[in-house]
């Protein structure tokens, strides 16, 4: 994204808005999670078994994709970092696999630079980090937790699903 920062006003805004175009995917909790955005306004979310020949479990197009404020996602990230720093045993708890998947993020200082979401917010947010470093994902899908409170929870408002850009996208 450093190249986008060198661009003048409107060109810079257009380059930053396009960061999520293409496909991002990863295996998370025995499922393949894929987010494909063919345009700056429409994305498709897919959850499939790891077996590529199997039918998707969920496939959902999402329209009206637009930037969202990163304050709540960044506050949620800070909460999760504080929780695992205060209690490293959380990595061995019932959310241990999910925490381990984002440990490079939790151990570092990266924050969310940009997030986008659809108008129904059913699938959460797709977020880009402000840092590119080994071990960090290309994007994260933030899925709503439905937790009524944050007390005692490693994940407060969102679970983090690390995603990597598919080659060629």
């Amino acid at each position: 994204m450093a190249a986008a920062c060198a661009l003048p006003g409107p060109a810079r805004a257009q380059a930053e808005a396009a960061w999520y175009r293409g496909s991002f995917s990863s295996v998370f909790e025995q499922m393949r999670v894929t987010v494909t955005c063919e345009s700056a306004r429409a994305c498709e979310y897919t959850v499939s078994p790891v077996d590529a020949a199997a039918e998707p479990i969920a496939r959902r197009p999402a329209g009206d994709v637009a930037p969202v404020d990163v304050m709540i996602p960044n506050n949620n990230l800070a909460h999760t970092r504080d929780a695992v720093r205060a209690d490293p045993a959380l990595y061995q708890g019932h959310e241990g696999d999910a925490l381990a998947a984002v440990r490079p993020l939790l151990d570092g200082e990266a924050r969310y630079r940009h997030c986008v979401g659809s108008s129904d917010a059913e699938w959460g947010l797709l977020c880009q980090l402000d840092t590119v470093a080994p071990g960090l994902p290309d994007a994260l899908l933030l899925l709503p937790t439905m937790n009524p409170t944050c007390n005692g929870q490693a994940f407060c408002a969102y679970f983090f699903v690390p995603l990597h850009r598919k080659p060629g996208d």
Side-chain angles (χ1 to χ4, degrees):
M1 196 51 63
C5 293
L7 297 172
R12 178 180 176 188
Q14 183 177 12
E16 288 178 351
W19 71 265
Y20 55 94
R21 282 188 161 172
S23 292
F24 298 89
S25 184
S26 75
V27 173
F28 186 77
E29 304 219 346
Q30 306 303 314
M31 302 301 290
R32 177 159 308 281
V33 177
T34 304
V35 178
T36 302
C37 299
E38 295 296 332
S39 73
R41 300 283 299 154
C43 298
E44 181 175 78
Y45 299 83
T46 307
V47 177
S48 304
V50 175
D51 177 5
E55 289 293 316
I57 293 170
R59 177 175 278 153
R60 174 94 158 69
D64 298 325
V65 173
V68 297
D69 187 352
V70 296
M71 184 182 73
I72 291 174
N74 276 321
N75 287 343
N76 190 71
L77 176 58
H79 168 84
T80 302
R81 279 186 174 134
D82 291 345
V84 296
R85 286 177 182 155
D87 184 5
L90 289 170
Y91 285 109
Q92 280 72 49
H94 75 281
E95 294 177 332
D97 289 345
L99 289 167
V102 292
R103 190 164 193 163
L105 172 63
L106 299 176
D107 287 347
E109 298 300 320
R111 295 173 45 88
Y112 299 117
R113 171 180 289 155
H114 302 289
C115 293
V116 295
S118 65
S119 57
D120 66 11
E122 178 181 349
W123 282 81
L125 306 175
L126 183 64
C127 296
Q128 177 189 47
L129 296 172
D130 64 359
T131 303
V132 175
L136 292 179
D138 297 317
L140 288 107
L141 179 59
L142 279 55
L143 299 172
T145 63
M146 307 301 263
N147 289 335
T149 67
C150 296
N151 295 339
Q153 304 289 329
F155 294 103
C156 185
Y158 299 105
F159 291 107
F160 314 138
V161 178
L163 300 172
H164 298 280
R165 188 174 288 280
K166 287 181 145 183
D169 281 340

